[in-house]
Amino acid sequence: MKKSEIKKLTRRQEHLVTRLTDDQDEYLVMLEEFYNISQQLKKTTITNDSTRDIAIRCVDSMFEHNLLDSKYYEADDEFVIQDIIHDTINKELNVKEEK
């Protein structure tokens, strides 16, 4: 999800919280808890695709900074490097391959 979409949804969520609470403490407490849970879930939603994107950006950045020889890029070994990074990220974050 794009940052602009996240911002828009967050603003909408905050607006709904404001409208629903209407100074009623009981609802405010429940909605604040709901909001906090939503925020935690947003931070922990990591998919296989998002970790693959990170791995691609890592490899691209290494080439841009001349940390990897261009011969790896030309021989399509970049995908092997990308897969190593991707697998390591997935293992550390316990992200499973999508089926």
Side-chain angles (χ1 to χ4, degrees), residues 46-60 62 77-99:
I46 300 173
T47 65
N48 187 59
D49 285 340
S50 61
T51 57
R52 182 168 301 284
D53 290 343
I54 293 168
I56 290 168
R57 290 196 308 263
C58 288
V59 172
D60 289 345
M62 285 187 266
D77 288 335
E78 67 177 300
F79 298 114
V80 174
I81 298 166
Q82 173 190 311
D83 287 343
I84 292 168
I85 295 169
H86 182 237
D87 291 344
T88 303
I89 293 170
N90 282 352
K91 183 177 179 183
E92 286 299 314
L93 298 178
N94 198 26
V95 176
K96 304 292 184 207
E97 290 280 340
E98 294 151 357
K99 295 180 182 184

Side-chain angles (χ1 to χ4, degrees), residues 17-31:
V17 167
T18 303
R19 298 236 9 237
L20 289 170
T21 57
D22 196 28
D23 291 330
Q24 297 175 15
D25 290 339
E26 178 184 359
Y27 292 116
L28 180 60
V29 169
M30 287 188 294
L31 286 171

